[in-house]
Amino acid sequence: MLGLMDLSARIAAVEQRIRRACDRCGRRRDEVTLLAVTKIFPAQAILDAYTLGLREFGENYVQEFETKAPQVRSLAGARFHLIGHLQSNKSHKAAELFDVIQTVDSGKLARRLAAEGRPLES
């Protein structure tokens, strides 16, 4: 796993690339969301990235994030995105765990998520 210094350097490099891209296309930096994809990394990687200022985290698998959630759900201002395919039978758990579900690909899934009664971004 990356140490904080290595992670800090990588985040700085990504930020620099984002700023250059924003400059080239005439967008403001605050119009772009940096989403740290933390699949296959342990919860400690999320904690480290949070310490370095990241607040948006993406996960591919409901089951994988379920094991990390107890360690990271209390991070103030952190938002967790499901970026992987979501099977409708896992919609209840996904609605509990994630703030944003980016992979709603059917009316059936949208209805199941809406029935959970928890506002989600999608």
Side-chain angles (χ1 to χ4, degrees), residues 64-119:
E64 183 180 341
F65 186 63
E66 188 174 16
T67 65
K68 299 175 191 179
Q71 298 170 62
V72 300
R73 284 306 298 174
S74 64
L75 297 173
R79 291 180 352 129
F80 298 95
H81 301 239
L82 178 64
I83 59 174
H85 176 72
L86 177 59
Q87 297 171 336
S88 59
N89 65 333
K90 295 180 182 166
S91 59
H92 175 75
K93 184 54 70 177
E96 287 178 0
L97 293 171
F98 294 98
D99 302 298
V100 180
I101 297 178
Q102 295 191 9
T103 53
V104 177
D105 60 359
S106 72
K108 175 184 176 183
L109 182 55
R111 286 187 296 277
R112 281 192 166 198
L113 290 168
E116 293 299 326
R118 182 170 178 255

Coordinates of all heavy atoms in Angstrom, one line a residue, residues 64-119:
E64 N -17.8 -5.5 -1.4 CA -16.5 -5.1 -0.9 C -16.6 -3.8 -0.1 O -16.0 -3.7 1.0 CB -15.6 -4.8 -2.2 CG -14.2 -4.4 -1.8 CD -13.4 -4.0 -3.0 OE1 -13.7 -4.5 -4.1 OE2 -12.3 -3.4 -2.7
F65 N -17.5 -2.9 -0.5 CA -17.6 -1.7 0.3 C -18.3 -2.0 1.7 O -18.0 -1.3 2.7 CB -18.4 -0.6 -0.4 CG -18.4 0.7 0.3 CD1 -17.2 1.4 0.6 CD2 -19.6 1.2 0.8 CE1 -17.2 2.5 1.4 CE2 -19.6 2.4 1.6 CZ -18.4 3.1 1.8
E66 N -19.2 -3.0 1.7 CA -19.9 -3.3 2.9 C -18.8 -3.7 4.0 O -19.1 -3.4 5.2 CB -20.8 -4.5 2.7 CG -21.7 -4.9 3.8 CD -22.7 -5.9 3.5 OE1 -22.5 -6.6 2.5 OE2 -23.7 -6.1 4.2
T67 N -17.7 -4.3 3.7 CA -16.7 -4.6 4.7 C -15.9 -3.4 5.1 O -15.4 -3.3 6.2 CB -15.7 -5.7 4.1 OG1 -15.0 -5.1 3.0 CG2 -16.4 -6.9 3.7
K68 N -15.8 -2.4 4.2 CA -15.1 -1.1 4.6 C -15.9 -0.1 5.3 O -15.4 0.7 6.0 CB -14.5 -0.5 3.3 CG -13.6 -1.3 2.5 CD -13.2 -0.6 1.2 CE -12.5 -1.5 0.2 NZ -12.2 -0.9 -1.0
A69 N -17.2 -0.1 5.0 CA -18.1 0.9 5.5 C -18.0 1.2 7.0 O -18.0 2.4 7.4 CB -19.5 0.6 5.1
P70 N -18.0 0.2 7.8 CA -17.9 0.5 9.3 C -16.7 1.4 9.7 O -16.8 2.2 10.6 CB -17.8 -0.9 9.9 CG -18.4 -1.8 8.9 CD -18.1 -1.3 7.6
Q71 N -15.7 1.3 8.9 CA -14.4 2.1 9.2 C -14.5 3.5 8.6 O -13.7 4.3 9.1 CB -13.2 1.3 8.7 CG -13.0 0.0 9.4 CD -12.0 -0.8 8.7 OE1 -10.8 -0.4 8.6 NE2 -12.4 -1.9 8.1
V72 N -15.3 3.7 7.6 CA -15.2 5.0 6.9 C -16.5 5.8 6.9 O -16.5 7.0 6.5 CB -14.7 4.8 5.5 CG1 -13.3 4.2 5.5 CG2 -15.7 4.0 4.7
R73 N -17.6 5.3 7.3 CA -18.9 6.0 7.2 C -19.0 7.2 8.0 O -19.8 8.1 7.7 CB -20.1 5.1 7.5 CG -20.5 4.0 6.5 CD -20.8 4.6 5.2 NE -21.9 5.5 5.1 CZ -22.3 6.1 4.0 NH1 -21.6 6.0 2.9 NH2 -23.3 6.9 4.1
S74 N -18.2 7.3 9.1 CA -18.3 8.5 9.9 C -17.4 9.7 9.5 O -17.4 10.7 10.2 CB -18.0 8.1 11.4 OG -16.6 7.7 11.4
L75 N -16.8 9.6 8.3 CA -15.9 10.6 7.9 C -16.8 11.8 7.4 O -17.5 11.7 6.4 CB -15.0 10.1 6.7 CG -14.0 9.0 7.1 CD1 -13.3 8.5 5.8 CD2 -13.0 9.5 8.1
A76 N -16.7 12.9 8.1 CA -17.5 14.1 7.8 C -17.2 14.6 6.4 O -16.1 14.8 6.0 CB -17.2 15.2 8.8
G77 N -18.3 14.7 5.6 CA -18.2 15.3 4.3 C -17.8 14.3 3.2 O -17.8 14.6 2.0
A78 N -17.5 13.0 3.6 CA -17.1 12.0 2.6 C -18.4 11.5 1.9 O -19.4 11.4 2.6 CB -16.4 10.9 3.2
R79 N -18.3 11.3 0.6 CA -19.4 10.7 -0.1 C -18.9 9.5 -0.9 O -17.8 9.5 -1.4 CB -20.0 11.7 -1.1 CG -20.7 12.9 -0.4 CD -21.3 13.9 -1.3 NE -20.9 13.8 -2.7 CZ -21.9 13.8 -3.7 NH1 -23.1 14.0 -3.4 NH2 -21.5 13.8 -5.0
F80 N -19.7 8.5 -0.9 CA -19.4 7.2 -1.5 C -20.3 6.9 -2.7 O -21.5 6.9 -2.5 CB -19.4 6.1 -0.4 CG -18.5 6.4 0.7 CD1 -18.9 7.0 1.9 CD2 -17.1 6.0 0.6 CE1 -18.0 7.3 2.9 CE2 -16.2 6.3 1.6 CZ -16.7 7.0 2.8
H81 N -19.6 6.6 -3.8 CA -20.3 6.4 -5.0 C -20.2 4.9 -5.4 O -19.1 4.3 -5.3 CB -19.6 7.2 -6.2 CG -19.6 8.6 -6.0 ND1 -20.1 9.5 -6.9 CD2 -19.0 9.4 -5.0 CE1 -19.9 10.7 -6.5 NE2 -19.2 10.7 -5.4
L82 N -21.3 4.3 -5.9 CA -21.2 3.0 -6.5 C -21.0 3.3 -8.0 O -21.8 3.9 -8.6 CB -22.5 2.2 -6.3 CG -22.5 0.8 -6.9 CD1 -21.4 -0.1 -6.4 CD2 -23.8 0.1 -6.8
I83 N -19.9 2.8 -8.5 CA -19.6 3.0 -9.9 C -19.6 1.7 -10.7 O -19.4 1.8 -11.9 CB -18.2 3.7 -10.1 CG1 -17.1 2.9 -9.5 CG2 -18.2 5.1 -9.4 CD1 -15.7 3.4 -9.7
G84 N -19.8 0.6 -10.1 CA -19.9 -0.7 -10.8 C -21.4 -1.1 -11.0 O -22.3 -0.4 -10.5
H85 N -21.6 -2.1 -11.8 CA -22.9 -2.6 -12.1 C -23.6 -3.0 -10.8 O -23.0 -3.6 -9.9 CB -22.8 -3.8 -13.0 CG -24.1 -4.4 -13.3 ND1 -25.1 -3.8 -14.1 CD2 -24.7 -5.6 -12.9 CE1 -26.1 -4.6 -14.2 NE2 -25.9 -5.7 -13.4
L86 N -24.9 -2.6 -10.7 CA -25.7 -3.0 -9.6 C -26.8 -3.9 -10.0 O -27.6 -3.6 -10.9 CB -26.3 -1.7 -8.9 CG -27.2 -1.9 -7.8 CD1 -26.5 -2.7 -6.6 CD2 -27.8 -0.6 -7.3
Q87 N -26.8 -5.1 -9.4 CA -27.9 -6.0 -9.6 C -29.1 -5.6 -8.8 O -28.9 -5.1 -7.6 CB -27.5 -7.4 -9.2 CG -26.3 -8.0 -10.0 CD -25.8 -9.3 -9.5 OE1 -25.9 -9.5 -8.3 NE2 -25.2 -10.0 -10.3
S88 N -30.3 -5.7 -9.3 CA -31.5 -5.2 -8.5 C -31.6 -5.9 -7.2 O -32.2 -5.3 -6.3 CB -32.7 -5.3 -9.4 OG -33.0 -6.7 -9.8
N89 N -31.2 -7.2 -7.1 CA -31.3 -7.9 -5.8 C -30.4 -7.3 -4.7 O -30.5 -7.6 -3.5 CB -31.1 -9.4 -5.9 CG -29.7 -9.7 -6.3 OD1 -29.0 -8.9 -7.0 ND2 -29.3 -10.9 -6.0
K90 N -29.5 -6.4 -5.1 CA -28.6 -5.8 -4.1 C -28.9 -4.3 -3.9 O -28.2 -3.6 -3.3 CB -27.1 -5.9 -4.6 CG -26.7 -7.4 -4.6 CD -25.3 -7.5 -5.0 CE -25.0 -9.0 -5.1 NZ -23.7 -9.3 -5.8
S91 N -30.1 -3.9 -4.4 CA -30.4 -2.5 -4.4 C -30.7 -2.0 -2.9 O -30.3 -0.9 -2.6 CB -31.7 -2.2 -5.2 OG -32.8 -3.0 -4.8
H92 N -31.2 -2.8 -2.1 CA -31.5 -2.4 -0.7 C -30.2 -2.1 0.0 O -30.0 -1.1 0.6 CB -32.3 -3.6 0.0 CG -32.4 -3.3 1.5 ND1 -33.4 -2.3 1.9 CD2 -31.8 -3.8 2.6 CE1 -33.3 -2.3 3.3 NE2 -32.4 -3.1 3.7
K93 N -29.2 -3.0 -0.1 CA -27.9 -2.8 0.6 C -27.2 -1.6 0.0 O -26.6 -0.9 0.7 CB -27.1 -4.1 0.4 CG -25.7 -4.1 1.2 CD -25.8 -3.7 2.6 CE -26.4 -4.7 3.5 NZ -26.4 -4.4 4.9
A94 N -27.2 -1.5 -1.4 CA -26.6 -0.4 -2.0 C -27.2 1.0 -1.5 O -26.4 1.9 -1.3 CB -26.7 -0.5 -3.5
A95 N -28.5 1.0 -1.4 CA -29.1 2.3 -0.9 C -28.7 2.6 0.6 O -28.6 3.7 0.9 CB -30.6 2.1 -1.0
E96 N -28.4 1.6 1.3 CA -27.9 1.8 2.7 C -26.5 2.3 2.7 O -26.1 3.1 3.6 CB -27.9 0.5 3.5 CG -29.2 -0.1 3.9 CD -29.1 -1.4 4.6 OE1 -28.0 -1.9 4.8 OE2 -30.2 -1.9 5.0
L97 N -25.7 1.8 1.8 CA -24.2 2.1 1.9 C -23.7 3.3 1.1 O -22.8 3.9 1.5 CB -23.5 0.8 1.3 CG -23.5 -0.4 2.1 CD1 -22.9 -1.6 1.3 CD2 -22.8 -0.3 3.4
F98 N -24.4 3.6 0.0 CA -23.8 4.6 -0.9 C -24.7 5.9 -0.9 O -25.9 5.9 -0.7 CB -23.8 4.0 -2.3 CG -22.8 2.9 -2.5 CD1 -23.2 1.6 -2.4 CD2 -21.4 3.2 -2.6 CE1 -22.3 0.6 -2.5 CE2 -20.5 2.1 -2.7 CZ -20.9 0.8 -2.7
D99 N -24.0 7.0 -1.2 CA -24.6 8.3 -1.3 C -25.0 8.6 -2.8 O -25.9 9.3 -3.0 CB -23.6 9.4 -0.9 CG -23.2 9.2 0.6 OD1 -24.1 9.2 1.5 OD2 -22.0 9.0 0.8
V100 N -24.2 8.0 -3.7 CA -24.5 8.2 -5.1 C -24.4 6.8 -5.8 O -23.5 6.1 -5.5 CB -23.4 9.1 -5.7 CG1 -23.6 9.3 -7.2 CG2 -23.3 10.5 -5.0
I101 N -25.3 6.6 -6.7 CA -25.3 5.4 -7.5 C -25.2 5.8 -8.9 O -26.2 6.4 -9.5 CB -26.4 4.4 -7.2 CG1 -26.4 4.0 -5.8 CG2 -26.4 3.2 -8.2 CD1 -27.5 3.1 -5.3
Q102 N -24.1 5.6 -9.6 CA -23.9 6.1 -10.9 C -24.2 5.1 -12.0 O -24.1 5.4 -13.2 CB -22.4 6.5 -11.1 CG -22.0 7.6 -10.2 CD -20.6 8.2 -10.5 OE1 -20.0 7.9 -11.5 NE2 -20.1 9.1 -9.7
T103 N -24.7 4.0 -11.6 CA -24.9 2.9 -12.6 C -26.4 2.4 -12.6 O -26.6 1.2 -12.8 CB -24.0 1.7 -12.3 OG1 -24.1 1.4 -10.9 CG2 -22.5 2.1 -12.5
V104 N -27.3 3.3 -12.6 CA -28.7 2.9 -12.7 C -29.0 2.7 -14.2 O -29.0 3.7 -14.9 CB -29.7 3.9 -12.0 CG1 -31.1 3.5 -12.2 CG2 -29.3 4.1 -10.6
D105 N -29.2 1.4 -14.5 CA -29.3 1.2 -16.0 C -30.7 0.6 -16.4 O -30.8 0.1 -17.5 CB -28.2 0.3 -16.4 CG -28.1 -1.1 -15.7 OD1 -29.0 -1.3 -14.9 OD2 -27.2 -1.9 -16.0
S106 N -31.6 0.6 -15.5 CA -33.0 0.1 -15.9 C -34.0 0.8 -15.0 O -33.8 1.2 -13.9 CB -33.0 -1.4 -15.7 OG -33.1 -1.8 -14.3
G107 N -35.2 0.8 -15.6 CA -36.4 1.3 -14.8 C -36.6 0.5 -13.6 O -37.0 1.0 -12.5
K108 N -36.5 -0.8 -13.7 CA -36.7 -1.7 -12.5 C -35.8 -1.3 -11.4 O -36.2 -1.2 -10.2 CB -36.5 -3.2 -12.9 CG -36.6 -4.1 -11.8 CD -36.3 -5.5 -12.3 CE -36.3 -6.5 -11.1 NZ -35.9 -7.9 -11.6
L109 N -34.5 -1.1 -11.7 CA -33.5 -0.8 -10.7 C -33.8 0.6 -10.1 O -33.8 0.8 -8.8 CB -32.1 -0.8 -11.2 CG -31.0 -0.5 -10.3 CD1 -31.0 -1.4 -9.0 CD2 -29.7 -0.6 -11.0
A110 N -34.2 1.5 -10.9 CA -34.6 2.9 -10.4 C -35.7 2.8 -9.5 O -35.8 3.5 -8.4 CB -34.8 3.8 -11.6
R111 N -36.7 2.0 -9.8 CA -37.9 1.9 -8.9 C -37.6 1.2 -7.6 O -38.0 1.7 -6.5 CB -39.0 1.1 -9.6 CG -39.7 1.9 -10.7 CD -40.9 1.1 -11.3 NE -40.5 -0.1 -12.0 CZ -40.1 -0.1 -13.3 NH1 -40.0 1.0 -14.0 NH2 -39.8 -1.3 -13.8
R112 N -36.7 0.2 -7.6 CA -36.3 -0.4 -6.4 C -35.5 0.6 -5.5 O -35.7 0.6 -4.3 CB -35.4 -1.6 -6.7 CG -36.3 -2.8 -7.1 CD -35.4 -4.1 -7.1 NE -36.3 -5.2 -7.2 CZ -35.9 -6.4 -6.9 NH1 -34.7 -6.7 -6.4 NH2 -36.8 -7.4 -7.0
L113 N -34.6 1.3 -6.1 CA -33.9 2.3 -5.3 C -34.8 3.4 -4.7 O -34.7 3.8 -3.6 CB -32.8 2.9 -6.1 CG -31.6 2.0 -6.5 CD1 -30.7 2.6 -7.5 CD2 -30.8 1.6 -5.2
A114 N -35.7 3.8 -5.6 CA -36.7 4.9 -5.1 C -37.5 4.3 -3.9 O -37.9 5.1 -3.0 CB -37.6 5.3 -6.2
A115 N -37.9 3.1 -4.0 CA -38.7 2.4 -2.9 C -38.0 2.4 -1.6 O -38.6 2.2 -0.5 CB -39.1 1.0 -3.4
E116 N -36.7 2.5 -1.6 CA -35.9 2.5 -0.4 C -36.1 3.7 0.5 O -35.9 3.7 1.7 CB -34.4 2.3 -0.7 CG -34.0 1.0 -1.3 CD -34.4 -0.2 -0.4 OE1 -34.3 -0.1 0.9 OE2 -34.8 -1.3 -0.9
G117 N -36.6 4.8 -0.1 CA -37.0 6.0 0.6 C -35.8 6.8 1.0 O -36.0 7.8 1.8
R118 N -34.6 6.5 0.6 CA -33.5 7.3 0.9 C -33.0 8.1 -0.3 O -32.8 7.5 -1.4 CB -32.3 6.4 1.4 CG -31.1 7.2 1.8 CD -30.1 6.2 2.4 NE -28.9 7.0 2.7 CZ -27.7 6.9 2.0 NH1 -27.6 6.1 1.0 NH2 -26.7 7.7 2.4
P119 N -32.9 9.4 -0.2 CA -32.5 10.2 -1.4 C -31.1 9.8 -1.9 O -30.2 9.8 -1.0 CB -32.6 11.6 -1.0 CG -32.8 11.6 0.4 CD -33.1 10.3 0.9

